[in-house]
């Protein structure tokens, strides 16, 4: 790394250090989630077991961020080097044509209510992951179900989420009963009981695919269609069909970066990696050149995403072509900033994730979400299941656009997960970071800190981050370009970026907010120990055995 007289970037906290272990490691955004993963690993479970157990605890302790009515993506690297993914996302309603929505007087898709919902992909994805578990879901979900039945302590984060969306939660009978006990905001530490959800999950654990037919699907469809959503039922039946898919990959430095395929934006991280490859290792950590290259690579990816990509086309392959990468590198090197104007863009989102490496060397990066906080703010009566608002969040109502809402077209996602290895049998690092359109940017920043500057996971996730705005989400139109920077970057760096044409906007550290909660585990060569880090922006922790 080049040496300069600039002060080093200041991490958000000096108190957290890497969790170190020889056998296994895990990190998540809430202590109870991490503890459950460590408990399963210590008891001999593998990384898939731990991930499935952590998911169920996450539904209880971070109910605004995730749930069985949402979506799931997972990337798994096996000890033999095979990397595969699971895509747990669903379709919108069969009757959800652009014309249908425009006939409702809409110019953009609604962000809550029945018209914002896609078929939840989480149950099918978890069922597929469960084929690689060593224990049944009924065992792995026991802690989560117990928390639902007995009540979990409401955190400051959850209370703030409920307060922000109190009016819409109060309008839904199921949500009101759980999150507004006795018709009021819960206190921090007050138990929130989800008895209906506990009963539902106990039944579902025996056959997660029963989510898509039978009594639950009938109840969900009746409720959604009564609220105007034109579901036929066939799109729910198709929700059962989740297969394992190979990861998409791209060289970075001396390693290989693996990512989740469409409908995720995993290719966008690969494109940024290709653009920045070889440009950052010799630059000062978070100096002006490094920030400029990372920011402009992100802008190029968002421009390409908006212009060319949908969940069912090959536009992403063109975006990774050598000519496209070369043109972007030349443009950034020459300082030109001629991006296409974007429509419908935002960074905010609410998601949570886990990373895990087991004793055999199996690594799982797992991310799940209801889209926005509490999703559609609509529950399925009598079940406790909160539904997602992924259709409103991810699809466009822009005529002729590749990502225009259509029946049997999944909306584009912000969720993604990554692994870095040596291209053979050596794991190097695994990570992820929630946070809407910030995800692919912050994942790339953490990757660069690990791979280009040899930082440890805790150092990498604790450093200040920056975010290009707008991205390419569907719900804010025509915002001017900004480079949003957390505290801790060198003032000279910010001034230089301003001179180079970036509209720098200093923002508070995104503690507990939409600034993500990055997680990472790496292998400390040459010792072979595992190191794990959890983002100080949330209350998560990392543990290692």
């Amino acid at each position: 790394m080049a040496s300069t007289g600039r002060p080093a970037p200041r991490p958000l906290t000096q108190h957290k250090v890497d969790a170190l272990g020889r056998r296994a490691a895990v990190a998540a955004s809430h202590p109870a989630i991490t503890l459950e993963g460590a408990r399963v690993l210590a008891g001999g479970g593998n990384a898939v077991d731990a991930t499935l157990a952590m998911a169920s605890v996450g539904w209880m302790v971070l109910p605004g961020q995730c749930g069985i009515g949402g979506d799931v993506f997972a990337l798994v690297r096996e000890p033999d080097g095979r990397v595969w993914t699971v895509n747990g996302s669903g379709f919108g309603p069969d009757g959800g044509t652009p014309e249908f929505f425009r006939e409702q007087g809409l110019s953009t898709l609604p962000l809550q209510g029945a018209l914002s919902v896609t078929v939840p992909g989480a149950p099918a994805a978890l069922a597929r992951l469960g084929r690689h578990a060593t224990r049944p879901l009924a065992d792995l979900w026991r802690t989560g179900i117990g928390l639902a039945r007995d009540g979990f302590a409401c955190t400051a984060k959850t209370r703030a989420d409920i307060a922000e969306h109190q009016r819409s939660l109060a309008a839904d009978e199921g949500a009101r009963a759980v999150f507004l006990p006795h018709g009021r905001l819960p206190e921090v530490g007050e138990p929130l009981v989800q008895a209906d959800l506990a009963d539902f999950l106990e039944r579902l654990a025996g056959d997660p695919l029963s989510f898509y037919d039978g009594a639950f699907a009938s109840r969900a469809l009746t409720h959604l269609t009564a609220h105007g959503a034109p579901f036929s039922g066939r799109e729910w039946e198709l929700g059962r069909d989740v297969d394992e898919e190979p990861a998409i990959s791209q060289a970075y430095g001396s390693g290989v970066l693996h990512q989740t395929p469409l409908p995720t934006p995993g290719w966008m991280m690969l494109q940024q990696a290709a653009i920045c490859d070889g440009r950052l290792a010799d630059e000062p950590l978070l100096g002006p050149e490094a920030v400029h290259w990372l920011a402009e690579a992100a802008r190029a990816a968002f421009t390409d995403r908006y212009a060319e990509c949908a969940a069912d086309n090959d536009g992403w392959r063109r975006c990774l072509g050598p000519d496209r990468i070369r043109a972007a590198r030349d443009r950034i090197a020459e300082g030109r900033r001629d991006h296409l104007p974007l429509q419908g863009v935002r960074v905010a989102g609410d998601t949570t994730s886990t990373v895990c490496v087991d004793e055999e060397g199996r690594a799982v990066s797992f991310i799940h979400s209801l889209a926005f906080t509490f999703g559609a703010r609509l529950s399925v009566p009598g079940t406790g299941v909160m539904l997602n608002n992924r259709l409103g969040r991810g699809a466009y109502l822009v005529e002729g656009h590749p990502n225009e809402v259509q029946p049997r077209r999944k909306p584009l996602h912000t969720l993604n997960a990554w692994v870095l290895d040596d291209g053979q049998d050596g794991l190097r690092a695994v990570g992820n970071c929630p946070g809407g359109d910030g995800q692919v940017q912050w994942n790339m920043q953490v990757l660069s800190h690990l791979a280009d500057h040899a930082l440890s996971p805790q150092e990498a996730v604790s450093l200040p981050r920056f975010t290009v705005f707008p991205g390419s989400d569907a719900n804010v139109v025509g915002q001017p370009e900004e480079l949003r920077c957390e505290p801790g970057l060198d003032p000279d760096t910010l001034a230089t970026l301003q001179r180079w044409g970036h509209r720098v906007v200093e923002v508070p550290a995104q503690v507990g907010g939409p600034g993500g909660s990055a997680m990472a585990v790496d292998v400390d060569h040459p010792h072979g120990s595992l190191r794990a880090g959890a983002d100080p922006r949330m209350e998560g922790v990392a543990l290692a055995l």
Side-chain angles (χ1 to χ4, degrees), residues 165-176:
H165 303 290
Q166 183 171 355
R167 180 175 296 180
S168 53
L169 292 174
D172 179 89
E173 183 177 356
R176 181 173 66 249

Side-chain angles (χ1 to χ4, degrees), residues 32-219:
I33 303 173
T34 307
L35 179 63
E36 179 67 1
R39 184 190 68 80
V40 172
L41 292 169
N46 67 22
V48 175
D49 294 324
T51 296
L52 291 168
M54 288 189 288
S56 71
V57 173
W59 301 333
M60 307 312 151
V61 301
L62 292 172
Q65 284 65 60
C66 59
I68 194 69
D71 292 329
V72 159
F73 295 91
L75 186 150
V76 182
R77 187 188 187 279
E78 299 287 1
D80 64 4
R82 183 172 74 95
V83 187
W84 53 276
T85 70
V86 168
N87 166 2
S89 66
F91 298 114
D94 277 351
T97 63
E99 293 73 26
F100 168 82
F101 289 104
R102 292 190 179 103
E103 286 169 2
Q104 314 302 309
L106 298 169
S107 57
T108 60
L109 298 182
L111 293 176
Q112 68 181 61
L115 295 185
S116 69
V117 175
T118 59
V119 177
L126 296 169
R128 174 60 67 166
L129 275 176
R131 298 186 183 190
H132 297 266
T134 67
R135 302 175 185 181
L137 278 179
D139 289 346
L140 296 172
W141 287 0
R142 184 172 290 116
T143 300
I145 291 170
L147 287 172
R149 191 173 307 285
D150 298 334
F152 63 92
C154 181
T155 64
K157 165 67 174 169
T158 294
R159 187 184 192 279
D161 288 343
I162 295 170
E164 182 178 358
H165 303 290
Q166 183 171 355
R167 180 175 296 180
S168 53
L169 292 174
D172 179 89
E173 183 177 356
R176 181 173 66 249
V178 171
F179 301 115
L180 295 165
H182 311 293
R184 57 166 175 76
L185 279 175
E187 297 176 0
V188 172
E190 182 177 353
L192 298 179
V193 176
Q194 302 194 68
D196 286 345
L197 184 59
D199 291 342
F200 176 76
L201 291 174
E202 282 187 336
R203 296 190 299 270
L204 192 69
D207 178 14
L209 296 182
S210 66
F211 188 95
Y212 300 99
D213 53 33
F216 175 79
S218 176
R219 183 177 295 189

Side-chain angles (χ1 to χ4, degrees), residues 27-390:
S29 293
H30 187 284
I33 303 173
T34 307
L35 179 63
E36 179 67 1
R39 184 190 68 80
V40 172
L41 292 169
N46 67 22
V48 175
D49 294 324
T51 296
L52 291 168
M54 288 189 288
S56 71
V57 173
W59 301 333
M60 307 312 151
V61 301
L62 292 172
Q65 284 65 60
C66 59
I68 194 69
D71 292 329
V72 159
F73 295 91
L75 186 150
V76 182
R77 187 188 187 279
E78 299 287 1
D80 64 4
R82 183 172 74 95
V83 187
W84 53 276
T85 70
V86 168
N87 166 2
S89 66
F91 298 114
D94 277 351
T97 63
E99 293 73 26
F100 168 82
F101 289 104
R102 292 190 179 103
E103 286 169 2
Q104 314 302 309
L106 298 169
S107 57
T108 60
L109 298 182
L111 293 176
Q112 68 181 61
L115 295 185
S116 69
V117 175
T118 59
V119 177
L126 296 169
R128 174 60 67 166
L129 275 176
R131 298 186 183 190
H132 297 266
T134 67
R135 302 175 185 181
L137 278 179
D139 289 346
L140 296 172
W141 287 0
R142 184 172 290 116
T143 300
I145 291 170
L147 287 172
R149 191 173 307 285
D150 298 334
F152 63 92
C154 181
T155 64
K157 165 67 174 169
T158 294
R159 187 184 192 279
D161 288 343
I162 295 170
E164 182 178 358
H165 303 290
Q166 183 171 355
R167 180 175 296 180
S168 53
L169 292 174
D172 179 89
E173 183 177 356
R176 181 173 66 249
V178 171
F179 301 115
L180 295 165
H182 311 293
R184 57 166 175 76
L185 279 175
E187 297 176 0
V188 172
E190 182 177 353
L192 298 179
V193 176
Q194 302 194 68
D196 286 345
L197 184 59
D199 291 342
F200 176 76
L201 291 174
E202 282 187 336
R203 296 190 299 270
L204 192 69
D207 178 14
L209 296 182
S210 66
F211 188 95
Y212 300 99
D213 53 33
F216 175 79
S218 176
R219 183 177 295 189
L221 284 163
T222 297
H223 193 56
L224 286 164
T225 54
H227 285 78
F231 283 100
S232 69
R234 177 59 178 156
E235 61 282 271
W236 281 71
E237 296 171 13
L238 292 171
R240 299 169 56 97
D241 301 330
V242 172
D243 294 320
E244 295 168 22
E245 302 177 63
I248 57 175
S249 306
Q250 167 72 42
Y252 190 74
S254 60
V256 178
L257 176 64
H258 305 281
Q259 255 285 3
T260 47
L262 288 174
T264 86
W267 68 267
M268 295 174 66
M269 186 180 178
L270 299 187
Q271 188 190 55
Q272 293 170 77
I275 291 170
C276 293
D277 195 14
R279 298 292 314 202
L280 303 178
D282 293 328
E283 294 295 336
L285 177 66
L286 292 178
E289 280 286 348
V291 174
H292 174 71
W293 272 85
L294 287 164
E296 289 301 286
R299 290 195 194 278
F302 283 120
T303 296
D304 285 347
R305 182 180 193 247
Y306 188 82
E308 300 194 38
C309 290
D312 54 1
N313 73 11
D314 284 335
W316 69 276
R317 295 186 186 276
R318 293 189 296 274
C319 298
L320 291 178
D323 291 343
R324 185 73 60 88
I325 299 300
R326 189 180 307 111
R329 288 171 68 96
D330 290 346
R331 182 172 65 247
I332 296 170
E334 294 170 10
R336 296 201 308 273
R337 305 188 66 242
D338 51 358
H339 308 293
L340 296 175
L342 302 181
Q343 304 175 50
V345 289
R346 185 172 175 170
V347 169
D350 231 338
T351 300
T352 192
S353 59
T354 61
V355 294
C356 185
V357 179
D358 66 24
E359 194 164 3
E360 295 179 310
R362 183 178 296 101
V364 181
S365 180
F366 178 90
I367 188 163
H368 53 156
S369 179
L370 292 169
F372 280 177
T373 311
F374 295 110
R377 292 139 208 168
L378 183 73
S379 67
V380 178
T383 70
V385 175
M386 296 294 294
L387 295 169
N388 67 83
N389 70 328
R390 182 55 60 180

